[in-house]
Amino acid sequence: MKFTALPAPLTIDTPKSILKPVDATESYPCRRCLQDAEIGENVLLLSYDPFLGSSPYTAPGPIFVHHPACLPFRCDGSVPDQQARRVLSVRAYDAKHMMVDQGVVPGRELEGKAEEIFRDGNVEYIHVHYAGAGCFAVRIDR
């Protein structure tokens, strides 16, 4: 499986972005590097839409990214630790960007859930969100 941190281009709209100093551990998950920001670092809180096509499901939402910018995530095929430690909402889409499956799983079960969902030949990709806050976390492709 391929995990993509930011599938759509990231646009930083300075007037709408908020610079936040990190004041707690495991509370500011950076979507660029897929690492949680550490106390003393800074993150930008900004709006992001992960869709690469037109869909009624598009919904920009808040995400954090390190500021200054960190190195982009490099996928090794395994579930990133940032997702493995959280409860996740999993949403599967077809080639027309229509939702065809969904579920909520503990992060340690994400790989199995994704494999199950990809058995449906109509599924093109999966968007993963943090179940509590609903923020986009990562995209998964076969």
Side-chain angles (χ1 to χ4, degrees), residues 17-141:
S17 301
I18 299 171
L19 184 64
K20 298 196 52 94
V22 174
D23 57 4
T25 59
E26 297 186 11
S27 297
Y28 298 88
C30 176
R31 297 335 187 281
R32 184 183 291 120
C33 67
L34 298 186
Q35 298 290 317
D36 287 353
E38 300 288 332
I39 293 174
E41 293 181 323
N42 289 310
V43 293
L44 283 175
L45 173 62
L46 50 95
S47 183
Y48 178 72
D49 183 353
F51 277 88
L52 295 173
S54 179
S55 172
Y57 292 101
T58 61
I63 65 167
F64 294 111
V65 292
H66 279 110
H67 183 76
C70 53
L71 294 175
F73 174 74
R74 293 180 52 113
C75 180
D76 66 4
S78 61
V79 175
D81 183 59
Q82 187 181 80
Q83 283 69 53
R85 293 183 280 107
R86 291 176 164 88
V87 177
L88 305 169
S89 169
V90 180
R91 304 168 190 174
Y93 298 92
D94 64 15
K96 295 181 180 177
H97 310 289
M98 297 301 295
M99 190 183 303
V100 294
D101 201 350
Q102 51 73 37
V104 175
V105 296
R108 65 186 178 282
E109 296 176 16
L110 178 59
E111 183 174 14
K113 182 65 173 175
E115 288 172 353
E116 173 189 321
I117 288 172
F118 279 131
R119 286 188 199 117
D120 179 339
N122 292 319
V123 174
E124 288 290 316
Y125 62 95
I126 298 169
H127 280 177
V128 179
H129 294 251
Y130 297 121
C135 306
F136 175 78
V138 70
R139 175 178 161 142
I140 306 174
D141 293 278

